[in-house]
Amino acid sequence: MRSEIEISEKQPSAEVVLRLRGITKVFGSLVANDDISLELKSGEVLALLGENGAGKTTLMNIIFGHYVADSGSIEVFGSSIQQGSPHVAIELGIGMVHQHFTLADNLSVLDNVMLGTEPLWSLYSNRRAGRQKLEQLGERFGLQVNPNERVAELSIGERQRVEILKALYRNAQILILDEPTAVLTPQETETFFETLKKLVSGGLSLIFISHKMQEVLAISDRVAVLRDGRLVSELKTAGASETELAQAMVGRNIELPERKALKAGEPVLKLKSVTVRAEDGRSALSSLSLDIRAREIVGIAGVSGNGQTTVADLISGLVEPQSGTLELHGEVVNNFTPRNMLRKKVGRIPEDRHSQGVIGDMTLAENIVSESYQEPQFSSYGWQNHLNRQRFAENVVSKFDVRGYSANSPVRLLSGGNMQKLILGRVLSGNPQLILANQPGRGLDVGAVAYVHEQLLAARANGAAILLISEDLEELLKISDRIAVIHRGRLSESFPRESISIAQLGLLMTGQQKTPTTNNQSTEADAS
Amino acid sequence: MRLEPRTRVPFALVIFAPVAAIVASFVLCAGLVAWSGASIFEAYGLLLKGALGSGFALSETFARATPLIFTGLAAAVAFKSRFWNIGAEGQLYAGALIITVLGTGMLDLHPGLMIPILVITSAVAGALMLLGPVLLKIHFGVDEVVTTLLLNFIVLLLVSLLLEGPLKDPMGLGWPQAEPVTEAAELPRLFRGLRLHSGLLLALLFSLIIWIVSIRTTLGYEMRAVGFNQKAARFAGMPVKSVMIKTALISGGIAGIAGFSEVAGMKGNLTLDLSPGFGYTGIVVAMLAQLHPLGVIISAAFVASIFVGADAMSRSAGVPSYIADVMVSVSLLCMLVSVLLVRFRIRWS
């Protein structure tokens, strides 16, 4: 007996723990998964790479029993399983950490972990045994969390640990992690990768879902690439290159736009110790100062919820500061309304396309003029000039390559990328001198992101000043000239892109370091 | 069972769905008719005949539809911008009240001048009824459903007070009713001997105007934008608050004209039973029409014909006329289901 166990531990790669055969799933006219066959071997990290909408999450939801595949079968540890029941999946040792956490904020860590593991009608809850098991697991895998703490009090990284512990507590052997790093800072990501290594050496097999190629290269043993619901490539991570993976993921060559050095011009936007009170669930800004010059992109990095939305609302004219001033071209702005900001040639690309950027039930044309419908070319004596609107809209649609629908179709039918192109078209056709781009690449595929970046860089070359707010460090580093970090409503000074590293940004994002080395400050002084 | 959004909606389905909804509601109500002891086909035949079967029936139906077009339009305009005006009943009485004050002798003008003035004043009275609720909503977030609904009772009690006091008709044999409006203030009948009056033409005209405003004007554009997505409208720099106020004033104004039309065209004087709930039925009319200004005409005619037809049916077949309320409600539910099924398809899995 003993020797058998040792043998199986020595050759983990031989055993297939999870096997998918011909999984197909169709939603309406969308083929989310098309005949996917895949194997997960014991003790390996399999990365599932693909763009938004490639079918990664659908596939994992089928494995975990949230969906039933239209055809195909799943085998776990050699025996095929009945689909459509998370219960069965959990009993067989499959655990899933969802992209959006499934924790009850008002319960303690222990309660969250134990929830659902005990019989419903049992009067007695064995909390002591539960606590013991949780602590043991935490120690074994380096996932320390205080079992008594309420989940609401935990940081995002800690919550993720609780999610993993939840799966381990249910004796998961196969762990599915859906975009686990999306919410983490660079430092938290590193710690998280350490955890994954411990899990693997502890005998677990992992499926790591991601669309970030660098992470996939860093952590996985094998990569499976999904595109449009099909498995297009399966390869060993060792020896794979980023370009190779990117091409497999996108299926064509993407020309990534390049930021060329430009000499920045006059200051366009000046924020001088702007303070905004917190209200309506909005985070506060305290004494925020920032200058942006013409032909310059300034990025604001930060973990979500540290005041980025408030900065965006301020520039958009949705909130006004309690103290401090906002100057545009040297003139102090006193009237904080969207209309006044538009009048002052501020273009705004909002964070949430669907709820703020467009009116889904109105047509492309109506949305394209939604910021300019009052101008004389569209409105005279209270009547809307349909002909001019139509002509203008068709021009924007073709110039900004909005595809799929005519100018008279409702906007809600557009894909995310085309919706963003429409918003870009609306913003840029107003010839803005300051552009606020809030998460412009979020949720878009690689091609659309490249397009958005290209347009922003073109606007920069034309003399616009651009404020880029993003939670994606790669995006920030790709097109920003300077980067500042926001943490708890305070903005760090800005650093030239060339003199700041991801690690430094990460530290600033968690508020651990007030200023990087003096070396950087002097280079910034040189640059300005 | 799941609902899946349709990616393409066939045009035939859009036309077919409301018809199917009406047919379904008749089928569903057949049980009630049978329960009351009448033959289903005979009863429905009487209903149809009573509503549409003669010149008199048609006149009655459209006379009944006239106030419903106004109140339905009032609800449609407001609801389209997500302003929930439940107070058309009160606005109707406010309009009726003001023209009773002006039209029973205070103003003595040529009809060509008198009628436009009364239309405008009744609209102003109705609009003013909504000014309070809309300002409270905008500035303090007070729910307009509560304020507009409660104002209905306040106005009705005010009318009651005035009809028992200063406005009481001395020739009214003690009934709580106002003096009849003067001849110059009367809306002319459309056909000799029938009650159908030119208020209907006014109602049709307003439906047309509202439709054109909605699709062609800058205000209409803003109203639709605010209704569909207020957050995005605000972000785009639209004057959301002023659009809300304008919407409320238009909605209240149209409901006020319904009061004028009923007094000057139908009843001749203001009584406490001027409106058997036209304001509330208007909401049903608007929903049946899916808030379309021209659709309101058709749905008002439909609802009116059910009410008028059911009266006839109850007289001849002994089916209680309350069946009309059931049928209108059932048809509304069927219509809502059909709207859902136009946008989504059912998947059995």
Side-chain angles (χ1 to χ4, degrees):
Chain A
M1 285 293 281
R2 255 194 101 98
S3 62
E4 265 181 43
I5 293 168
E6 274 169 13
I7 287 166
S8 72
E9 276 179 356
K10 268 178 194 161
Q11 308 170 310
S13 59
E15 194 193 346
V16 173
V17 293
L18 176 71
R19 179 176 280 129
L20 306 179
R21 281 211 186 101
I23 297 286
T24 298
K25 178 76 185 169
V26 180
F27 293 111
S29 61
L30 176 82
V31 184
N33 286 160
D34 188 359
D35 192 24
I36 294 177
S37 300
L38 203 58
E39 284 174 0
L40 176 68
K41 290 172 189 137
S42 170
E44 80 168 345
V45 179
L46 172 68
L48 201 57
L49 186 67
E51 295 195 89
N52 287 295
K56 304 172 302 232
T57 302
T58 304
L59 187 64
M60 293 306 116
N61 278 326
I62 290 171
I63 297 175
F64 196 61
H66 285 316
Y67 298 152
V68 179
D70 296 334
S71 65
S73 67
I74 303 171
E75 275 175 28
V76 180
F77 298 111
S79 54
S80 80
I81 67 166
Q82 171 215 339
Q83 291 179 42
S85 161
H87 256 291
V88 171
I90 289 169
E91 259 167 43
L92 286 168
I94 300 177
M96 185 152 175
V97 175
H98 291 271
Q99 195 171 351
H100 306 286
F101 299 150
T102 52
L103 297 172
D105 280 356
N106 52 346
L107 296 184
S108 72
V109 169
L110 182 62
D111 288 336
N112 261 288
V113 169
M114 289 181 68
L115 196 67
T117 58
E118 298 187 307
L120 186 59
W121 298 109
S122 140
L123 291 172
Y124 171 74
S125 162
N126 196 347
R127 293 172 62 83
R128 185 189 288 180
R131 186 187 305 267
Q132 234 167 29
K133 186 171 176 185
L134 183 64
E135 277 167 358
Q136 276 171 6
L137 284 170
E139 219 158 281
R140 186 164 155 217
F141 294 107
L143 293 162
Q144 267 87 12
V145 206
N146 176 3
N148 299 324
E149 191 118 36
R150 269 184 354 131
V151 164
E153 317 289 331
L154 300 181
S155 75
I156 299 290
E158 287 171 318
R159 286 180 203 205
Q160 192 167 47
R161 265 174 251 163
V162 178
E163 280 279 0
I164 296 173
L165 282 168
K166 240 169 83 181
L168 295 176
Y169 189 87
R170 288 160 175 74
N171 304 318
Q173 297 299 307
I174 300 167
L175 197 57
I176 302 170
L177 302 144
D178 191 1
E179 303 264 4
T181 59
V183 289
L184 303 181
T185 63
Q187 275 73 18
E188 282 174 323
T189 303
E190 256 172 53
T191 329
F192 173 72
F193 282 176
E194 291 304 313
T195 307
L196 293 191
K197 283 176 188 149
K198 279 189 191 142
L199 291 174
V200 170
S201 61
L204 273 83
S205 317
L206 307 181
I207 298 182
F208 178 84
I209 304 178
S210 181
H211 65 270
K212 294 183 183 164
M213 288 161 293
Q214 284 151 353
E215 290 179 357
V216 165
L217 289 171
I219 193 71
S220 70
D221 300 313
R222 248 169 4 109
V223 190
V225 184
L226 288 189
R227 186 171 79 228
D228 300 331
R230 280 193 309 276
L231 184 66
V232 290
S233 173
E234 214 182 332
L235 65 168
K236 283 222 153 49
T237 309
S241 72
E242 203 174 320
T243 17
E244 195 180 347
L245 291 179
Q247 274 197 17
M249 189 162 105
V250 183
R252 64 203 132 93
N253 277 324
I254 298 277
E255 268 182 50
L256 295 176
E258 232 174 272
R259 182 175 61 100
K260 294 189 187 76
L262 283 177
K263 189 153 175 50
E266 294 292 301
V268 174
L269 172 76
K270 271 191 180 198
L271 295 172
K272 288 185 188 159
S273 42
V274 169
T275 296
V276 180
R277 252 201 314 269
E279 50 184 47
D280 312 335
R282 181 185 285 127
S283 38
L285 297 180
S286 41
S287 191
L288 185 133
S289 296
L290 181 71
D291 285 9
I292 307 179
R293 291 171 294 173
R295 288 192 294 281
E296 185 180 45
I297 299 182
V298 175
I300 293 186
V303 178
S304 166
N306 272 291
Q308 292 97 320
T309 311
T310 315
V311 174
D313 284 354
L314 184 76
I315 311 285
S316 305
L318 294 171
V319 291
E320 52 184 47
Q322 266 73 49
S323 67
T325 55
L326 185 155
E327 285 178 19
L328 284 168
H329 294 291
E331 259 180 65
V332 176
V333 174
N334 293 314
N335 181 7
F336 285 85
T337 59
R339 179 144 299 278
N340 191 42
M341 287 300 179
L342 288 166
R343 216 176 279 136
K344 298 207 180 283
K345 293 281 176 194
V346 180
R348 297 108 15 100
I349 300 171
E351 176 180 11
D352 188 335
R353 287 185 281 279
H354 293 271
S355 79
Q356 267 195 328
V358 298
I359 299 164
D361 284 314
M362 292 178 93
T363 66
L364 269 65
E366 286 173 320
N367 273 283
I368 285 168
V369 301
S370 68
E371 291 176 348
S372 55
Y373 69 96
Q374 285 190 325
E375 286 172 11
Q377 56 167 325
F378 301 124
S379 176
S380 56
Y381 303 106
W383 293 84
Q384 284 282 297
N385 187 327
H386 276 62
L387 206 68
N388 282 356
R389 179 201 287 175
Q390 193 74 14
R391 224 178 276 147
F392 182 78
E394 273 164 15
N395 194 8
V396 168
V397 163
S398 72
K399 194 170 155 201
F400 289 87
D401 197 29
V402 182
R403 277 188 219 167
Y405 294 92
S406 81
N408 293 318
S409 317
V411 156
R412 65 183 146 80
L413 300 174
L414 292 181
S415 68
N418 280 307
M419 214 178 259
Q420 191 72 316
K421 284 180 186 173
L422 181 137
I423 293 171
L424 260 180
R426 177 173 77 204
V427 167
L428 294 178
S429 57
N431 294 319
Q433 285 157 355
L434 172 68
I435 300 172
L436 162 75
N438 193 1
Q439 315 282 0
R442 179 186 276 179
L444 303 185
D445 62 48
V446 179
V449 170
Y451 183 86
V452 170
H453 289 172
E454 190 187 307
Q455 290 294 329
L456 289 177
L457 287 169
R460 163 181 175 263
N462 280 334
I466 298 174
L467 176 63
L468 171 68
I469 299 177
S470 180
E471 282 155 32
D472 182 352
L473 289 180
E474 276 179 49
E475 175 171 55
L476 286 166
L477 291 169
K478 210 171 276 170
I479 63 170
S480 308
D481 297 297
R482 286 187 287 135
I483 299 177
V485 177
I486 195 164
H487 180 252
R488 301 220 171 131
R490 290 177 186 280
L491 193 69
S492 76
E493 54 186 304
S494 61
F495 307 100
R497 186 248 168 277
E498 283 74 20
S499 67
I500 191 151
S501 66
I502 286 207
Q504 282 170 316
L505 284 175
L507 284 176
L508 286 164
M509 281 161 72
T510 49
Q512 285 175 27
Q513 196 183 348
K514 285 241 162 64
T515 47
T517 57
T518 43
N519 190 18
N520 286 331
Q521 285 170 332
S522 66
T523 44
E524 193 206 11
D526 290 345
S528 59
Chain B
M1 189 188 105
R2 286 183 306 112
L3 289 175
E4 262 177 23
R6 290 179 197 269
T7 40
R8 286 199 86 84
V9 179
F11 185 67
L13 189 66
V14 178
I15 299 298
F16 171 72
V19 177
I22 300 304
V23 172
S25 62
F26 272 83
V27 171
L28 287 172
C29 291
L32 281 177
V33 174
W35 191 19
S36 67
S39 138
I40 295 166
F41 287 102
E42 193 192 337
Y44 278 155
L46 285 168
L47 186 144
L48 264 182
K49 202 170 148 229
L52 311 164
S54 63
F56 173 75
L58 280 170
S59 158
E60 284 300 299
T61 296
F62 280 97
R64 188 68 169 263
T66 301
L68 291 178
I69 295 176
F70 281 117
T71 55
L73 209 50
V77 167
F79 289 9
K80 193 99 187 173
S81 297
R82 308 230 157 198
F83 181 79
W84 308 112
N85 173 16
I86 314 295
E89 187 80 1
Q91 291 138 26
L92 182 152
Y93 274 105
L97 193 59
I98 195 77
I99 71 121
T100 299
V101 172
L102 295 176
T104 50
M106 186 186 275
L107 282 184
D108 187 17
L109 300 164
H110 184 269
L113 200 59
M114 186 78 169
I115 288 175
I117 286 179
L118 293 183
V119 168
I120 291 167
T121 48
S122 63
V124 168
L128 286 177
M129 290 289 300
L130 265 184
L131 192 61
V134 73
L135 291 178
L136 284 171
K137 179 191 169 82
I138 287 172
H139 293 297
F140 305 109
V142 179
D143 191 341
E144 74 275 22
V145 172
V146 176
T147 50
T148 55
L149 181 66
L150 292 182
L151 270 175
N152 287 342
F153 303 107
I154 294 172
V155 173
L156 210 61
L157 288 169
L158 176 71
V159 169
S160 172
L161 175 78
L162 294 175
L163 289 186
E164 293 290 357
L167 288 182
K168 192 169 189 172
D169 184 4
M171 314 293 281
L173 304 171
W175 291 101
Q177 62 183 46
E179 275 179 68
V181 290
T182 58
E183 209 167 304
E186 269 178 27
L187 278 167
R189 298 267 145 102
L190 289 178
F191 304 99
R192 188 179 299 273
L194 294 176
R195 290 210 292 172
L196 189 58
H197 56 93
S198 42
L200 176 67
L201 303 181
L202 210 54
L204 298 179
L205 179 69
F206 271 95
S207 294
L208 196 67
I209 291 174
I210 293 297
W211 180 58
I212 291 171
V213 165
S214 163
I215 60 164
R216 286 286 156 187
T217 66
T218 302
L219 176 62
Y221 172 83
E222 291 172 335
M223 283 165 70
R224 279 184 296 131
V226 169
F228 283 132
N229 186 345
Q230 192 176 325
K231 210 172 155 193
R234 181 161 126 82
F235 183 83
M238 295 183 199
V240 173
K241 287 180 180 176
S242 109
V243 170
M244 284 284 228
I245 293 174
K246 285 176 192 165
T247 305
L249 294 183
I250 293 174
S251 170
I254 294 171
I257 299 174
F260 160 72
S261 161
E262 280 306 279
V263 170
M266 196 71 176
K267 301 276 167 63
N269 61 357
L270 174 60
T271 58
L272 266 182
D273 59 359
L274 179 74
S275 157
F278 287 138
Y280 303 107
T281 312
I283 296 168
V284 178
V285 168
M287 299 302 282
L288 276 173
Q290 296 175 38
L291 309 185
H292 194 290
L294 297 183
V296 161
I297 298 170
I298 298 168
S299 70
F302 167 73
V303 170
S305 60
I306 298 262
F307 277 118
V308 171
D311 277 345
M313 177 173 78
S314 75
R315 279 194 301 271
S316 320
V319 180
S321 68
Y322 290 113
I323 192 123
D325 290 314
V326 179
M327 288 187 70
V328 169
S329 317
V330 170
S331 66
L332 178 63
L333 292 177
C334 288
M335 189 62 88
L336 294 177
V337 171
S338 83
V339 168
L340 188 79
L341 291 180
V342 166
R343 287 193 71 167
F344 298 90
R345 90 174 73 230
I346 297 179
R347 279 282 160 124
W348 309 94
S349 59

